[in-house]
Amino acid sequence: MNRVYLDFNATTPVDPQVLGAMLPYFSADFANASSIHTPGQRARAAVETAREQVAALIGAKPQEIIFTSGGTESDNHAIFGVLNSFVAQPILAVHSVSQQPPPGHLITTTIEHEAVLNACQAAEKQGVSVTYLPVDCEGRVDPNAVFRAIRPETALITVMHANNELGTVHPLEEIGRIAKQHNLYFHTDAVQSAGKIPIDVNALNIDLLSLSGHKLYGPKGVGALYVRSGTRLQQLLYGGHHQRGFRPGTENVAGIVGLGKAAELARNSLANDAQRVSALRDKLERGLLERVPQVRMNGAQAPRTPNTTNIMFAGIEGEALVIALDLKGLSCSVGAACSSGAIEPSHVLTAIGLSPEEAKSSLRFSLGRHTTESEINFALEIIPAAVAQLRALSPTYQKAASHV
Ligand code: PLP
């Protein structure tokens, strides 16, 4: 069967050029990048080249890049690293007065990835208070709400760049400006935007930024955390002196080389990819609007990443549609891959105002760098038929339709 994959927000394949760059570091150039002998120095040079490549993708300096195991670790490191250093300082300052460490405060949004939301919830259990700001019906937070949420004890603002389910892009420039005016650290989870839309950490006043290899045609299990020079950040892990002690552990040289190469390729092709892929995404949306009654695009009025669309098919059980499409050769998803199997409707879709039923009727299609027009034509052929078939089997849909 011819398979079409439209689930690139879940993960991307490793680009052949990325794989080519990585392969020597599994065998011939296998040395530890911390070894002082010649093979070790070769591995070190490769890691440092990758640091430059990742830095160039986001307008950072190479020494501001820490390699991690992926987006989840980067998010956790940013949140707990800032919180721990923030709480540690004032404890010393107020120790003699109250003996009570100040609890600290985080500002985030309701539509963050679990890597941020669950880290925030864990912080709450440690006494930190967290403001979860609502978003509008397109999935964007209001920068004024960020401003109003600031308290004297606020340690960090963490707002994602692009949402993984909707593709909508938060107004980071305004939020960054507010953070800077209030001398607050600003972290963004850019796992879904890095390599898809331009990022300049200086223009956006970002202090910490997370990205992940496997979302930009690099390998899984490697990511990066950008940390602006001078940011007070406590390490998460304790061990050797790798990466200046920020992130101990023998470097995953092959993975890091792959992430670097992927960042370089993304930087070179970002503008072209964005134009081509968004035209295909728009074609898919237009085609479905023409061919399928009672569909709605979620979050489509906001600035979005070029590859993502989230579509509500009224009266459909989203997972049933994903399975029906899978049987016909199309891979897509009901939302975040890490939430599949969850009974609850998507927290992102309910946050933008969808009812639980509407949220459960919504599918995410995320295109990739190599998605072709004929793949979109294939999707436009099979989706309307699968939707009609499922609706014909649904007594509730039939009953509701007969009343329209
Ligand atoms: N943040 C966002 C927005 C994501 O989409 C993901 C992965 O789906 C992550 C964080 C986690 O990244 P990783 O899979 O590299 O841990």
Side-chain angles (χ1 to χ4, degrees):
M1 191 192 342
N2 217 2
R3 283 210 70 89
V4 170
Y5 181 87
L6 293 181
D7 198 17
F8 288 91
N9 282 10
T11 197
T12 60
V14 171
D15 186 284
Q17 290 183 67
V18 169
L19 182 62
M22 290 171 69
L23 281 175
Y25 296 94
F26 288 110
S27 46
D29 293 326
F30 65 90
N32 189 322
S34 297
S35 299
I36 56 173
H37 46 60
T38 303
Q41 289 312 298
R42 269 213 302 275
R44 166 62 46 213
V47 167
E48 296 316 316
T49 300
R51 216 183 291 280
E52 286 166 16
Q53 290 163 320
V54 171
L57 181 66
I58 58 171
K61 299 183 205 120
Q63 65 270 28
E64 295 174 315
I65 302 296
I66 304 174
F67 292 112
T68 66
S69 65
T72 302
E73 183 187 325
S74 297
D75 285 342
N76 275 265
H77 197 164
I79 291 167
F80 288 106
V82 167
L83 271 178
N84 291 342
S85 69
F86 175 85
V87 171
Q89 290 289 108
I91 289 174
L92 296 175
V94 298
H95 191 70
S96 56
V97 182
S98 68
Q99 300 288 329
Q100 284 294 315
H105 172 237
L106 296 172
I107 299 172
T108 189
T109 79
T110 50
I111 66 163
E112 299 297 309
H113 188 269
E114 275 83 357
V116 167
L117 285 181
N118 289 343
C120 287
Q121 280 168 21
E124 278 183 295
K125 289 196 183 118
Q126 295 170 14
V128 172
S129 61
V130 182
T131 302
Y132 299 93
L133 293 171
V135 292
D136 65 16
C137 61
E138 303 297 334
R140 300 183 95 212
V141 70
D142 176 1
N144 290 321
V146 174
F147 167 74
R148 287 193 299 271
I150 294 171
R151 302 182 195 165
E153 70 273 26
T154 303
L156 179 71
I157 298 171
T158 173
V159 174
M160 73 197 318
H161 195 191
N163 182 265
N164 43 309
E165 294 188 38
L166 297 167
T168 52
V169 176
H170 277 299
L172 291 200
E173 199 170 344
E174 290 92 322
I175 299 170
R177 206 174 302 128
I178 291 166
K180 191 169 184 187
Q181 276 161 4
H182 290 80
N183 211 12
L184 285 173
Y185 286 148
F186 177 30
H187 165 248
T188 192
D189 174 339
V191 167
Q192 290 289 348
S193 60
K196 293 179 190 154
I197 54 176
I199 300 176
D200 181 334
V201 287
N202 293 315
L204 298 173
N205 284 313
I206 291 163
D207 299 301
L208 300 124
L209 177 146
S210 308
L211 59 82
S212 175
H214 74 105
K215 308 287 185 179
L216 65 146
Y217 305 89
K220 295 168 182 60
V222 63
L225 178 64
Y226 156 77
V227 185
R228 180 179 293 283
S229 301
T231 303
R232 280 193 285 122
L233 188 81
Q234 196 151 318
Q235 65 203 87
L236 271 195
L237 302 176
Y238 291 85
H241 294 286
H242 316 84
Q243 305 203 67
R244 290 180 288 128
F246 268 120
R247 207 288 191 171
T250 303
E251 281 123 316
N252 168 9
V253 178
I256 290 170
V257 165
L259 174 58
K261 187 69 187 171
E264 182 188 83
L265 294 178
R267 183 162 166 254
N268 292 338
S269 68
L270 190 144
N272 281 344
D273 287 350
Q275 206 176 18
R276 205 186 64 80
V277 171
S278 64
L280 290 177
R281 188 267 313 270
D282 295 349
K283 177 181 164 121
L284 176 65
E285 289 186 339
R286 267 197 319 274
L288 290 176
L289 281 171
E290 282 162 13
R291 291 171 175 77
V292 188
Q294 294 190 271
V295 293
R296 201 173 67 208
M297 310 303 157
N298 297 320
Q301 302 308 314
R304 283 184 294 172
T305 43
N307 76 319
T308 308
T309 180
N310 192 300
I311 306 177
M312 200 272 293
F313 298 89
I316 292 286
E317 184 61 49
E319 284 195 357
L321 183 54
V322 168
I323 293 164
L325 294 174
D326 184 48
L327 291 173
K328 291 173 193 245
L330 176 67
S331 308
C332 63
S333 70
V334 280
C338 22
S339 312
S340 38
I343 315 253
E344 295 300 311
S346 147
H347 69 284
V348 174
L349 299 181
T350 49
I352 63 168
L354 269 63
S355 68
E357 291 70 34
E358 289 172 325
K360 287 190 159 196
S361 310
S362 299
L363 259 61
R364 176 184 72 184
F365 300 94
S366 44
L367 285 62
R369 186 182 286 163
H370 304 294
T371 299
T372 62
E373 182 146 26
S374 68
E375 289 180 320
I376 296 302
N377 290 338
F378 174 73
L380 286 173
E381 232 172 76
I382 66 161
I383 298 169
V387 172
Q389 223 168 20
L390 287 175
R391 281 178 174 168
L393 294 172
S394 158
T396 31
Y397 182 78
Q398 292 304 325
K399 199 167 154 203
S402 68
H403 288 297
V404 178

